[in-house]
DNA sequence: ATAAATAAAGACAAAAATATCTTATATTAT
DNA sequence: ATAATATAAGATATTTTTGTCTTTATTTAT
């Protein structure tokens, strides 16, 4: 469904959000350990998220990543778009360059419906909400 | 969503089914041209489908691929499973090895719902039905 | 029988995704 | 100031996916 990079991104953000209530900074090492991801690969992903303004970071001792308490809700859609790109969520299910209601691929309608539901889900769920689930012990990020 | 290989597989099968009413054999060259795919890569995919008994083939002059008229309906799910594998449709949305209602990832429920809908769609739609859509001019396989 | 046509199979190449390692830069603490 | 710590950035390696090319095996038509 999503690339590994995107899965790491979502998990990293949920973990950061679950820990940055008091503006603590979360180190890469900690993130990678908690979400069970390759540290340097995760670093690359965090850089993208940081450049896009989805997460904040500070270098140096006691540095790390964090999400402001008053930051606007981060939709899963924002993350997927930042890492996997828009075409991942808009392209034709069978890979046609021009697939539309007017000139549809054979599964156009069926696929559009499911994708619509996926988009709705990605819009309705935010990193902060999911982080709360994690904090409440209702979910886990590894194993 | 699906790999390119899987998209090629679905398109190839739909095209074959749309043409093999009178047990004509469809050549690889023809398939690749009609679905706009790399011929030899498509060949590899067809070999998998052939070994799995999803499509039939004959070598030699006038040889090619075909689907028996009395063949059972081929569900899209059969094709996706054959090419992308089951884990593509059963794995955790965030990549956890063990993700269940008991120990769920943060998007377990939301993701399960959408995947369920996807599975239903893949079970309800068959290559033969989609081929009929193609034959009726209600759908296209390229551009 | 022979040649031609076609899928099957295998070897290889290119591209993309994932992963690792090293160096640079910024920040903090001493 | 200096050393330590952390992200940023860049280079490289590995793996997976996709794509190409060549050879083999099978079937048909002549």
């Amino acid at each position: 469904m999503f690339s590994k990079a995107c899965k790491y991104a979502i998990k990293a953000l949920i973990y950061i959000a679950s820990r940055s209530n008091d503006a603590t900074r979360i180190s890469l090492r900690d993130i990678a350990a908690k979400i069970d991801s390759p540290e340097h690969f995760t670093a690359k992903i965090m850089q993208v998220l940081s450049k896009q303004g989805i997460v904040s970071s500070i270098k140096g001792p006691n540095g790390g990543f964090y999400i402001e308490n008053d930051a606007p809700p981060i939709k899963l859609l924002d993350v997927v778009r930042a890492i996997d790109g828009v075409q991942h969520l808009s392209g034709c299910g069978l890979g046609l360059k021009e697939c539309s209601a007017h000139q549809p691929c054979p599964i156009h309608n069926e696929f559009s419906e499911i994708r619509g539901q996926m988009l709705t889900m990605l819009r309705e769920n935010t990193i902060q909400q999911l982080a709360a689930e994690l904090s409440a012990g209702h979910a886990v990020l590894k194993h």
Side-chain angles (χ1 to χ4, degrees), chain A residues 87-124:
Chain A
Q87 77 290 348
H88 189 82
L89 292 163
S90 62
C92 166
L94 292 184
L96 304 211
K97 294 177 198 76
E98 300 173 32
C99 180
S100 62
H102 178 248
Q103 211 179 29
C105 78
I107 61 169
H108 183 75
N109 293 331
E110 297 81 354
F111 199 78
S112 295
E113 190 183 336
I114 289 173
R115 179 119 66 185
Q117 287 159 344
M118 172 69 87
L119 283 170
T120 299
M121 186 275 267
L122 293 176
R123 255 189 294 266
E124 287 178 350

Side-chain angles (χ1 to χ4, degrees), chain A residues 35-56:
Chain A
I35 72 172
D36 198 22
S37 68
E39 185 172 331
H40 290 109
F41 185 50
T42 308
K44 291 291 162 57
I45 298 163
M46 296 311 296
Q47 283 164 28
V48 174
L49 296 175
S50 178
K51 279 177 187 161
Q52 303 241 357
I54 292 176
V55 74
S56 307

